Each structure stands twice: as structure tokens, then as C-alpha cells.
Amino acid sequence: MTPVESLSVAEALANILAAVPVLSAERVPFAEAVGRILAEPIVAHDDLPPFANSSMDGYALQAADTAAPPTTLRVVGEVAAGAMPQVMVERGTAVRIMTGAPLPDGADAVVPVEDTDEAWRDKARGLPTHVEIRRTVLAGDFVRPAGGDIARGTAVLQPGHRLRPAEISLLASLGQTEVAVVRRPRVGILATGDELLEVHEPLRPGKIRNSNGYAQAAQVAEAGGIPIPLGIGRDTEADVRDRLQAGLEAGVDLFISSAGVSVGVYDVVTAVLQSAGSIGFWRVRMRPGKPLAFGRYQGIPYFGFPGNPVSAMVSFERFGRPALLKMGGHTALQRPQLPVTLTVAVDSDGRESYLRALVQRTADGGYSAAPTGDQGSHMLSSLVTANALLIIPEGVRHAAVGDVLQALMLDWPEWVF
Ligand code: AMP
Ligand code: MG
């Protein structure tokens, strides 16, 4: 007899998170690191900007010369972006300067070209001998000082930081060609059941196509993991064992299987896990997704999710995704939740329930939610039209129109906002 433990969702998740490790680091080219989690601090080895430069096209000068505009200054040279100034600025003189060009010695400010008598972007005029300055500036105006963004030696990013396009820009600016990031979890995905066909096969009597394997591969990829398909395990212990062995040889960090973990006569996954792993079989007080197996197979963390497609996906959302995110080094493990006002009454059996729901923005700026349809655990259609899982807390059996519940947002379509 399989030992079955009854756990709340929170207890199950806490057990799971305690059992999965944060993976080791690997070095990757910085340009391929978007979405990854830093595993090392990044220290700036250069000032950013590396030199004082102009923030405008205009004239570099001494601010003191602009105290009583208009003032005419002698133009002694020019400096373009990428060049070095060849002249100094002294009292009564100015150097034409382009955005990003180094500030000449002696200058302490820039006056934008719009505030001079020079025709805006009139290249044909060439360098004038004199320029009329029509405004006052203070020392430092329109100058970007060296190190003004980031000073050399500063630790700009800490381990655990998620690299977004902004961080990629920073790494590029600092010349950081490679970064250490947490490895992406390699996840072996096994579907089980004699009823399953491959996706390309025509339907035959009594058979259905394997959707779980693909749903889970997509969920793994979306959570930053690398899916490693282990195919369809037939309802024999030998076949399931062979496929798990293939996963071990592929170096998986985590196994995910679907079906075969309830107490049916043909639930061979249960038998295999019991013989070669340390696995707990849990009755999670959750709907959908009650049966859940979690533990280790040959030392590798293992999730045995339910077979019904929606149960499998909701269980992954609640347990698999946070575990994968932890393994990948993330510290934010939960999807965002919103308080939503029910527009339809909902019922539960007292288990923590996750209803497929559509969350919408209301006229007063809040959010409303309604179930998307039949909540049967095989009903994919109501998952496809949902953008959230509406959470009915444990112990609550009824929620009325106007009640406020939490919605776990699966998706943030622009039209919601
Ligand atoms: P089980 O956990 O084996 O009792 O399966 C529960 C239900 O999920 C059954 O209706 C199965 O046919 C269905 N099922 C199991 N595995 C898959 C799969 N990979 N794709 C789609 N449905 C599945
Ligand atoms: Mg089955």
C-alpha cells in the first residue's frame, strides 16, 4: 500500500522548495544572458562615462563668460564624438563640440547650439570664427562627468540579479564580455499511459494524443528550464525505468512525469518510484491536482504530476514552476497576484481551489474575475480562455458576487490594463 500524506498547498510547496537546490554557475557570453540570474557580483572596471563629455551639440566654454548674455566668443576649434580636443578653452574662447565628444581642457560647461547664433545643424557654414552665446550656463551644465553614471570600482550588480535588457546594456558599457549565471535546469519530461499516441499519429479507438508532455515542455521552457523529452512510457515498469534511465544519462537536474501516480491498478510510475527512489505520495488539499508524488529518483528531484491535463498544468504552476525558478537562481518564485471582484458566484469543496478565470479591468480601475467555463480537470478549453487562476482559499465553500478573491495571473495581456 502506498503511504499517502495529506498536505496543504503551502506545506507541499515548502517541502518541495526545501528539497531542490540552486544549481551551479556557468559562464556565458553576456549577450546571451538575458533572463538569466547572475551568479557573481559585477564590479565596474571603468568609469561610466569613461571621460567628461558633452550632452549636447554646442559650444564648450567657461561658464563665467556667459554671465551677461549675449556675449561673443572666439571659436578656436572643434571636437567631434570619437576625437580628442586639440585646443584648450580659455576666457573669451569656445570650442564647437558634438554630443558625446570629450570636453576640452579649460572648459567647464557647454552651451547648446540652439542658444547661439549658429544655424541649427547648418553643416555648410563650416566652423565660424566667432559665436554669439545667448544664455547663461553654470559650471557643469550640459557636461556628463567621468564616472557620473557609475564610478570605477563600484559593485553594480549583485548575485541573484535577473539580467534584463537594461543590465545587458550595462554589461556592454562596462566591457564585461562574459558573465557567470546560474545554470538552466535540465528537466526530463516523461508522459505515461498505454492510451497515449504521439501528436502526429491519427486517433485510434480508445487512444488520445499526448498533450501533457508538450504542455510541460512549454511550461519548463517558460520558467527558464531546458526540456528534455523522454517520450511516452508505456504502463510497464520496465519501460518507465528505461526512460528514466535515459534521463539520468542526459544529465537531468529534475524529472517531471504525468499520470500513473494515483492508486489505479496500472499506476506503474508509483511502483517504479517506490522501488528506486525516496518519494512521498501526497494528497494535496487542492483542486485540481490532488495526487502529487515528489521526492528523488536515483538522487534526482522528481515530480509525479496527475494525468488530467489541467490538473497537471495547475500542479506545475503551483509547485513545479517555483521549484524550477529556485533551481535557476531566481528569488521571486511566485507569479503576481491581484485582488479581483467576483462577477459570478463560485463554489468549492473546501480544498484550496484554482479556478480558470478571466480577469478584466473594471471602469473604476479595479479588477473583476469570472470563471471561463466548465472546470473539469480534462477541460483544456477553459484554460485556453483564462488569463488567471482564481484562488478559493482552503475552508471556503462559497464566494458570492462582489466578494474579493486573489487571482494568480498566468498572463498579463495588454488589454487587461
Ligand atoms: P491517470 O493519472 O493515469 O489516471 O490519468 C488521468 C487522466 O489523464 C486519464 O484520462 C488519462 O488518459 C489522462 N492523461 C494521462 N496522461 C496524459 C497525457 N500525457 N496527455 C493527455 N492526457 C493524459
Ligand atoms: Mg493512466
Side-chain angles (χ1 to χ4, degrees):
M1 206 24 217
T2 311
V4 172
E5 203 180 336
S6 168
L7 294 176
S8 70
V9 171
E11 287 164 343
L13 182 59
N15 289 350
I16 288 163
L17 291 179
V20 298
V22 177
L23 299 182
S24 55
E26 62 181 353
R27 294 195 75 76
V28 299
F30 84 98
E32 294 167 20
V34 71
R36 304 291 294 273
I37 303 294
L38 256 189
E40 62 179 352
I42 301 293
V43 176
H45 294 297
D46 298 308
D47 276 335
L48 207 62
F51 50 88
N53 68 91
S54 178
S55 70
M56 298 290 277
D57 292 335
Y59 283 86
L61 42 64
Q62 296 191 2
D65 276 339
T66 68
T71 317
T72 297
L73 300 179
R74 196 157 56 80
V75 177
V76 295
E78 181 176 55
V79 55
M84 284 303 289
Q86 303 299 321
V87 284
M88 265 195 73
V89 169
E90 293 169 342
R91 284 301 298 261
T93 71
V95 164
R96 187 155 75 172
I97 192 165
M98 306 304 152
T99 303
L103 195 71
D105 285 344
D108 61 9
V110 170
V111 168
V113 69
E114 298 91 321
D115 297 318
T116 72
D117 65 346
E118 184 176 337
W120 173 234
R121 292 191 189 285
D122 183 358
K123 287 216 175 71
R125 273 187 56 181
L127 190 65
T129 58
H130 291 80
V131 64
E132 185 183 278
I133 303 298
R134 296 176 170 166
R135 66 169 283 178
T136 299
V137 287
L138 301 176
D141 283 357
F142 303 104
V143 174
R144 307 188 282 211
D149 184 4
I150 289 161
R152 178 149 57 123
T154 308
V156 279
L157 297 174
Q158 297 303 322
H161 196 101
R162 187 167 58 91
L163 300 176
R164 303 164 302 162
E167 284 78 11
I168 301 298
S169 176
L170 182 59
L171 294 171
S173 302
L174 294 173
Q176 183 85 34
T177 56
E178 284 192 345
V179 282
V181 293
V182 180
R183 273 200 308 112
R184 295 174 63 191
R186 297 166 62 80
V187 184
I189 296 171
L190 177 66
T192 65
D194 279 347
E195 72 275 39
L196 300 180
L197 299 173
E198 286 296 354
V199 172
H200 62 266
E201 292 185 79
L203 286 175
R204 297 200 300 274
K207 308 286 184 187
I208 59 169
R209 298 193 181 97
N210 167 24
S211 62
N212 288 347
Y214 294 91
Q216 290 177 338
Q219 289 182 305
V220 163
E222 201 210 27
I226 301 171
I228 299 179
L230 302 176
I232 299 170
R234 295 305 164 193
D235 285 335
T236 69
E237 291 185 34
D239 193 31
V240 168
R241 212 170 267 127
D242 285 351
R243 289 173 188 278
L244 294 179
Q245 184 57 35
L248 293 172
E249 283 159 19
V252 300
D253 301 299
L254 176 71
F255 282 111
I256 287 182
S257 68
S258 57
V261 290
S262 27
V263 287
V265 181
Y266 297 102
D267 287 333
V268 295
V269 175
T270 309
V272 171
L273 296 181
Q274 278 176 325
S275 65
S278 48
I279 302 272
F281 295 87
W282 299 341
R283 214 154 22 83
V284 184
R285 296 192 298 276
M286 171 180 176
R287 191 183 69 147
K290 179 165 71 174
L292 178 68
F294 179 77
R296 287 175 197 283
Y297 179 79
Q298 309 285 5
I300 304 296
Y302 190 110
F303 278 103
F305 287 120
N308 274 307
V310 175
S311 307
M313 290 189 75
V314 171
S315 296
F316 180 93
E317 266 300 323
R318 211 66 200 91
F319 304 119
R321 186 173 182 276
L324 264 187
L325 291 178
K326 179 183 172 185
M327 294 176 87
H330 294 253
T331 46
L333 307 182
Q334 300 295 342
R335 295 221 193 242
Q337 291 189 10
L338 284 180
V340 294
T341 305
L342 290 181
T343 58
V344 175
V346 294
D347 292 308
S348 167
D349 62 2
R351 283 182 283 166
E352 186 166 314
S353 296
Y354 291 82
L355 272 53
R356 285 144 266 172
L358 183 65
V359 169
Q360 286 179 294
R361 188 110 206 184
T362 54
D364 65 2
Y367 297 94
S368 69
T372 48
D374 192 318
Q375 300 286 321
S377 54
H378 64 298
M379 297 290 284
L380 280 172
S381 52
S382 52
L383 191 54
V384 166
T385 46
N387 60 7
L389 295 173
L390 183 66
I391 306 173
I392 307 181
E394 187 165 25
V396 175
R397 288 170 184 275
H398 182 76
V401 172
D403 284 357
V404 174
L405 293 176
Q406 290 292 315
L408 189 140
M409 298 305 295
L410 298 175
D411 207 8
W412 295 86
E414 288 75 7
W415 52 261
V416 172
F417 303 100

